[in-house]
Amino acid sequence: MTVRRDFKEPARCRPDLVIGREDMFSAARDQLAEGGSVLLHGPAGIGKSTLLRALAAEYGETARTVLRCSATESESHLPFLALADLLGLVLDEVSERLPGAQRTALESALTGRGESSLQRDGLALRLAVLSALRALAADGPVLVVADDLQWLDPASAELLGFAARRLGDTQVQMVFAVRTEGQEYDRYLSASPPDTLAFRLSPLSRAQVSALLDHRGYAGLPRSTVREIHRTSGGNPLFALELGRALAENPTPPRPGEPLPVPTSLRALVLSRLDMLPAEARRTLLVASAGARPTVALLQTAGRENAEAETAQAAELGLLATEPEGPAVRFAHPLISAALYAEAPAQERRAAHAALSTAASDPIERARHLALATTGTDPEVAARLAEAATLARDRGAPSVAASLGLLAARHTPGDSAPGPDERRLQAAEDAITAGELDLARDIAREVLTRTSVAAERVRAWIMVIDTAGHSMADVDAVFPQALADAGDDPRLLALVRYQLAWRALLVEGDFAGARAETARSAELAARAGDRRTELLALSFQAQTETLMGHPDAPLTIKRALKEPQDPRVACHHNGAGSARFRWLVMSDQLPEARATITALLREVRRRGSVESEVHFLRGFAETELRSGHCGRALDLAREGLRLARDSGIGQTASAMLTALAEASGGDVDEALALAREAVEHAEEDGDQMYLSRALGALGYAQLVAGDAHGTVRSLRRVRELEQALGVTDPARGRWHGDLAEALVRIGESAEAQDVIDVTRERALRLGRESVLAVLDRAEALVRAARGDHDAAVAQLTSVQDRLAKLGYGLEEARAAFALASLRTGQPGPTSYDEAARLFRRCRALPWLRQVDEAVVARPPEPAPVPAPAPTLEGLDGLASMERQVAALVMEGATNREIAARLFISVKTVEATLTRVYRKLGIRSRVDIVRLAAGRRPN
């Protein structure tokens, strides 16, 4: 039988039940599938019960009997209560199968009709529980599910632990959840079956908290708000959901600089020990909760003379965490600070901020506290806040600058200069820099409802367009309104024309139109003396011309790099530095491109520009990928994708680039999923420019996965799209060689040759040497397919050498792989060792797996005939690893360098060299070098 359940989830767990716990759920599920038991532990609200229910829902269907209990603190004093929950409904089924003394003791304990106790019937009760579980297991698998194990009454806990330790191979599995604050789960683990695996649930990441809030109906929250929920909740899912609910129910969101509203339920949960503190100590903690980085010294300066003793008292109660290595006053959980602040009356909060406005040493902190201590408008306070915002901007903290700017606008009188709307717009620009697009969009729309000043309205419209990202089709209606507000003002028209250039490229896929609009914008900005907009327009024009293969591109880049420069544009992702980087990458100048992108990335990180950081991480990853550093490229691409998803900026482009990196150095299935995601998003956004790039990534991933037909379908679409867009430079997407190779694989050699011929003509005109080499590699495959084997081998040999000189490590390895494949079954060397070595050097794991498969599939080679004397040719008698090690010794590499390049240990290198010496009849590394020089060893 199966005991009736108190929940109705399907047998397969819904993914939404384990948001952020997918890996843990999978591991716990595997543990149960192997016959083991599971113990989930962690702090209150961390999601143990959710995961417990998900596991029970999945494995309860496979068990004949499910026994469950869920203890509570208020009932933990009642003896045998948990045992009654577990065995009460099956007592009739098992009682007749128990020995008399055990049956009597168990019935007395479960029904309460006798005076059973552990002291009186200890052994009989222990054996009765064990016998009952064994009897149930004799009829089929048993699953025991116990939640809140810490509240089990002591008698039930003792009996359950006794049985668990003695079940042996019995078909009884247990899934427990227990609340722990640290790692002190050992005593619960010792009361579980010996094969129990413990899982500690950790806090959720910001992205996981966002997904959880969306699932529970709190979607659409600004990213800045989600970030604050994550910070305040500490990643605790229960706390995060309660904070989200409080925000949804609160008609007035918190003012800038203020913490989130904390619902009464959470206040009671985290402040239960606050009543044990004296009133003065509570006031000290309130001041600490209002501060950004409170210390005892700061609290004392703010008038809390007994701060040291009072914070020590709070730490003893668990409200503050001890900091043995520093003076900071840190709350045990961020929610305690938020709840304490939310609990305090408004007057007391203002008093705390007033005290901190003079005590804090940092001018930004002083200005923030002054603002929160002041009500109404005050020009002096507004000016101090604006100065603090400028300082935060210079420090590379645009998010802080945006918050301070909004506070400055709130305290700015309507007749001031600058006015409140101008300060709001500056705050919105800071928010865009910080990646807080939702906040910037809200500010801009608010300004549009207030102002009639043309310059302010155009700035606001530009921000609405900017925050749309690549989904510019969604804001089509904005452009006529922005043009109308701009009137005949060349400065304002330059701003709008610059955005129209982006629309032409992203929405219409019109490179020529985009180039014309940027040129128009640059001319208008120059006439108005707006150097910043002029530089942005010239940089965009240069990038457009580069992608088009336009001959004026180098000249336009020089114009964009001429002085005077604007520091905000110099490192902007659409600035001249970015345009120069793109030109270097497409012109095969990889070392210069790496130096350029590294400097740009360092600068935007200093300034805190999130969108530019996302963009330059992609550029850096692309450069490393071209250079054959696949592992490094994958790390950079994944970092960029995480940042893109966290900020909501550049997700399509980042998914596309990460797909390329995964297909080259990571997981091919993940590459396919990311590429399809990028294609889907580009199609949804109407983004013509990135649709072709995403399809190119998909085609490459399909090629690596062995799906030649899929590659052809994807890359044929890219060819059609780029013809329509007017993209003529093959270095933009570099998909042409992959398409030709896939066409050869499916027997379409004529079409492959056509792709090669058309692309070669353009690559020759633009001097794209690496593209030409890849095309020659593809052409060699066409020749081989037509039977011209010798010409194909000669061409591939040349291609490998050219790609090596250009620094394209992965393409060089692919050429070596193709060469080895052609030589298989032909006279002469057929080893895949060179391709394996090159792919290993690149960390190109998916390609290495293809080499392994090719080695397994190739026909057996004749056994090598050892040379009569140790000469250079004698190396042919070595095993694959021995030859690689010997070759690196010949290059002068040390044992440590050899180990790093071959991804083996130094000890393995030493052992391999010992075998090499023995086989070649030599005694040292010097003798290997002599062999390389054609001399006999001594």
Side-chain angles (χ1 to χ4, degrees):
M1 69 173 267
T2 300
V3 176
R4 177 179 173 272
R5 297 172 181 76
D6 57 3
F7 56 95
K8 297 292 185 183
E9 284 89 345
R12 296 296 296 179
C13 174
R14 297 197 310 269
D16 54 42
L17 289 177
V18 289
I19 288 173
R21 312 290 187 201
E22 292 81 5
D23 291 343
M24 183 177 292
F25 179 80
S26 178
R29 186 171 56 189
D30 291 344
Q31 169 72 358
L32 290 171
E34 293 169 3
S37 295
V38 169
L39 175 67
L40 308 170
H41 67 102
I46 202 67
K48 303 180 298 297
S49 297
T50 298
L51 191 56
L52 181 87
R53 288 195 298 270
L55 290 169
E58 178 150 332
Y59 279 89
E61 296 295 336
T62 65
R64 180 183 182 276
T65 305
V66 177
L67 308 175
R68 67 179 68 254
C69 70
S70 182
T72 63
E73 184 177 12
S74 62
E75 298 171 343
S76 60
H77 65 286
L78 300 173
F80 306 121
L81 181 61
L83 191 66
D85 287 341
L86 287 170
L87 298 177
L89 293 179
V90 296
L91 181 59
D92 293 340
E93 181 183 354
V94 300
S95 61
E96 295 301 324
R97 300 155 71 179
L98 303 180
Q102 294 181 24
R103 180 171 60 251
T104 301
L106 184 60
E107 288 177 347
S108 177
L110 296 185
T111 62
R113 290 195 293 267
E115 297 180 358
S116 183
S117 68
L118 279 179
Q119 289 72 29
R120 175 180 169 183
D121 304 311
L123 181 58
L125 267 175
R126 287 173 171 84
L127 293 175
V129 173
L130 178 58
S131 298
L133 290 174
R134 284 175 173 167
L136 290 169
D139 298 329
V142 176
L143 182 66
V144 180
V145 182
D147 199 1
D148 283 318
L149 209 60
Q150 75 279 359
W151 302 134
L152 254 64
D153 61 275
S156 297
E158 166 62 25
L159 293 171
L160 190 59
F162 176 87
R165 291 189 295 272
R166 290 165 175 81
L167 285 169
D169 295 332
T170 309
Q171 293 187 86
V172 178
Q173 294 175 265
M174 298 183 175
V175 183
F176 295 157
V178 61
R179 180 186 302 179
T180 56
E181 292 303 325
Q183 294 290 332
E184 70 279 7
Y185 62 92
D186 290 352
R187 62 191 181 98
Y188 300 106
L189 194 59
S190 64
S192 306
D195 58 355
T196 300
L197 192 60
F199 295 89
R200 176 168 178 80
L201 276 72
S202 303
L204 299 180
S205 68
R206 189 192 308 177
Q208 291 164 346
V209 166
S210 177
L212 180 64
L213 291 167
D214 287 348
H215 168 66
R216 292 300 179 89
Y218 307 124
L221 292 172
R223 292 182 182 273
S224 55
T225 302
V226 173
R227 184 182 63 215
E228 188 62 20
I229 289 176
H230 178 258
R231 187 196 67 79
T232 304
S233 69
N236 185 295
L238 173 64
F239 297 170
L241 288 171
E242 286 297 296
L243 291 168
R245 181 180 60 81
L247 277 171
E249 295 175 353
N250 190 347
T252 56
R255 296 186 304 174
E258 289 187 344
L260 299 173
V262 180
T264 305
S265 58
L266 289 186
R267 295 188 202 182
L269 179 64
V270 300
L271 298 180
S272 57
R273 287 163 286 187
L274 196 64
D275 292 338
M276 302 173 68
L277 282 177
E280 288 301 311
R282 289 185 60 157
R283 291 192 183 94
T284 296
L285 289 190
L286 174 62
V287 176
S289 73
R293 294 176 296 276
T295 62
V296 170
L298 176 65
L299 295 174
Q300 290 171 338
T301 306
R304 309 311 303 168
E305 298 177 356
N306 298 319
E308 186 171 2
E310 290 164 347
T311 54
Q313 193 175 3
E316 289 178 4
L317 293 172
L319 292 164
L320 296 178
T322 56
E323 292 284 355
E325 299 180 359
V329 174
R330 186 170 64 85
F331 285 88
H333 191 281
L335 191 61
I336 297 176
S337 173
L340 181 64
Y341 188 92
E343 188 85 1
Q347 185 176 354
E348 290 187 16
R349 294 187 207 171
R350 287 195 294 272
H353 287 296
L356 289 168
S357 69
T358 57
S361 59
D362 186 86
I364 292 177
E365 278 298 297
R366 289 200 301 270
R368 172 180 168 271
H369 289 303
L370 179 62
L372 295 174
T374 305
T375 58
T377 59
D378 186 319
E380 183 179 346
V381 172
R384 286 185 58 181
L385 285 164
E387 292 171 3
T390 300
L391 180 58
R393 197 177 304 118
D394 293 340
R395 288 181 180 178
S399 180
V400 175
S403 176
L404 291 168
L406 288 175
L407 286 170
R410 182 156 60 85
H411 290 287
T412 301
D415 57 354
S416 295
D421 284 331
E422 187 171 346
R423 282 180 166 151
R424 287 188 183 93
L425 290 170
Q426 179 60 63
E429 290 179 354
D430 288 328
I432 289 176
T433 302
E436 298 178 6
L437 303 186
D438 295 333
L439 176 60
R441 186 185 304 111
D442 291 344
I443 296 170
R445 293 199 179 279
E446 180 186 357
V447 169
L448 286 167
T449 64
R450 295 170 178 268
T451 185
S452 58
V453 179
E456 292 178 349
R457 291 187 62 80
V458 170
R459 281 181 69 189
W461 287 127
I462 296 300
M463 288 175 200
V464 171
I465 296 169
D466 270 344
T467 55
H470 282 214
S471 305
M472 295 192 81
D474 295 343
V475 292
D476 257 356
V478 167
F479 290 98
Q481 300 176 73
L483 284 170
D485 283 329
D488 297 327
D489 188 323
R491 185 175 65 87
L492 300 181
L493 281 172
L495 292 170
V496 181
R497 290 293 171 192
Y498 177 73
Q499 296 295 338
L500 282 168
W502 278 106
R503 183 192 177 281
L505 187 60
L506 296 176
V507 178
E508 298 175 0
D510 183 359
F511 275 75
R515 177 176 179 267
E517 287 287 7
T518 53
R520 195 171 177 186
S521 173
E523 189 273 326
L524 288 165
R527 195 194 317 165
D530 182 358
R531 182 61 173 164
R532 179 174 185 271
T533 302
E534 181 188 7
L535 289 171
L536 282 171
L538 286 171
S539 300
F540 186 19
Q541 181 180 342
Q543 293 208 48
T544 304
E545 290 172 347
T546 298
L547 295 174
M548 295 171 66
H550 197 285
D552 289 349
L555 180 61
T556 308
I557 291 175
K558 287 182 181 179
R559 289 178 60 199
L561 289 170
K562 285 180 63 175
E563 296 293 340
Q565 287 290 314
D566 185 315
R568 294 173 297 173
V569 178
C571 64
H572 192 274
H573 56 280
N574 290 323
S578 181
R580 180 172 180 271
F581 162 74
R582 180 53 50 196
W583 172 259
L584 290 169
V585 168
M586 296 177 69
S587 302
D588 300 326
Q589 301 178 57
L590 296 181
E592 294 87 345
R594 182 182 294 105
T596 299
I597 200 68
T598 302
L600 288 169
L601 184 59
R602 182 170 55 247
E603 180 62 18
V604 299
R605 281 174 167 165
R606 187 185 71 80
R607 291 176 176 270
S609 175
V610 174
E611 184 171 6
S612 293
E613 183 177 356
V614 169
H615 185 94
F616 292 146
L617 278 169
R618 286 200 307 272
F620 198 175
E622 181 184 353
T623 306
E624 296 302 286
L625 201 57
R626 301 288 175 220
S627 302
H629 305 150
C630 298
R632 176 66 174 147
L634 185 57
D635 290 341
L636 289 164
R638 286 173 174 171
E639 181 185 355
L641 182 59
R642 283 194 297 270
L643 184 58
R645 285 178 168 166
D646 190 42
S647 63
I649 295 173
Q651 295 182 78
T652 300
S654 297
M656 175 274 299
L657 198 282
T658 309
L660 290 172
E662 289 281 1
S664 298
D667 186 317
V668 178
D669 290 337
E670 180 67 13
L672 290 166
L674 286 169
R676 291 186 176 111
E677 174 189 324
V679 170
E680 181 180 347
H681 287 174
E683 289 176 335
E684 288 176 355
D685 295 341
D687 184 345
Q688 297 297 305
M689 183 172 69
Y690 268 105
L691 177 57
S692 64
R693 297 293 306 276
L695 285 166
L698 178 58
Y700 173 68
Q702 289 167 324
L703 183 70
V704 179
D707 180 10
H709 287 279
T711 299
V712 170
R713 284 193 300 271
S714 298
L715 298 186
R716 277 174 175 166
R717 282 190 66 192
V718 177
R719 192 181 191 191
E720 294 169 1
L721 281 168
E722 291 202 351
Q723 285 174 348
L725 291 170
V727 175
T728 60
D729 193 333
R732 178 193 180 239
R734 298 178 183 267
W735 48 266
H736 313 76
D738 292 337
L739 174 56
E741 182 175 334
L743 286 165
V744 171
R745 290 189 188 183
I746 67 171
E748 297 287 348
S749 298
E751 184 181 348
Q753 188 64 55
D754 178 65
V755 170
I756 293 166
D757 292 342
V758 171
T759 309
R760 180 180 283 137
E761 180 182 351
R762 295 170 178 174
L764 283 168
R765 177 173 59 83
L766 296 168
R768 302 299 191 228
E769 292 298 328
S770 63
V771 175
L772 289 168
V774 169
L775 291 172
D776 283 352
R777 184 183 68 204
E779 188 172 53
L781 299 178
V782 174
R783 287 180 170 178
R786 292 172 174 173
D788 194 354
H789 210 276
D790 292 341
V793 168
Q795 191 169 21
L796 280 174
T797 304
S798 170
V799 164
Q800 183 180 344
D801 182 61
R802 288 157 58 196
L803 288 168
K805 290 177 180 177
L806 288 168
Y808 282 75
L810 182 58
E811 300 295 354
E812 175 195 357
R814 288 180 62 181
F817 185 27
L819 188 58
S821 301
L822 288 187
R823 283 174 170 165
T824 300
Q826 300 295 322
T830 60
S831 175
Y832 284 93
D833 291 347
E834 173 71 359
R837 181 183 71 82
L838 292 172
F839 281 134
R840 191 178 293 111
R841 184 184 67 183
C842 295
R843 293 288 301 273
L845 303 182
W847 286 103
L848 264 175
R849 283 190 285 273
Q850 289 198 29
V851 173
D852 291 340
E853 292 169 2
V855 169
V856 171
R858 73 179 178 178
E861 298 179 13
V865 178
T871 63
L872 187 60
E873 290 75 15
L875 296 184
D876 292 339
L878 300 178
S880 170
M881 180 61 71
E882 293 165 354
R883 278 198 301 275
Q884 293 180 58
V885 170
L888 290 172
V889 169
M890 292 175 187
E891 295 176 11
T894 65
N895 286 4
R896 188 172 297 279
E897 290 170 341
I898 294 170
R901 290 176 66 175
L902 297 181
F903 304 102
I904 57 178
S905 68
V906 175
K907 287 186 177 180
T908 301
V909 175
E910 293 169 350
T912 304
L913 278 174
T914 300
R915 294 194 300 272
V916 170
Y917 299 156
R918 185 174 64 251
K919 290 183 178 182
L920 296 181
I922 60 178
R923 291 175 295 178
S924 69
R925 299 167 61 94
V926 175
D927 290 337
I928 296 179
V929 176
R930 286 195 178 103
L931 287 175
R935 301 194 303 272
R936 283 186 173 274
N938 294 332

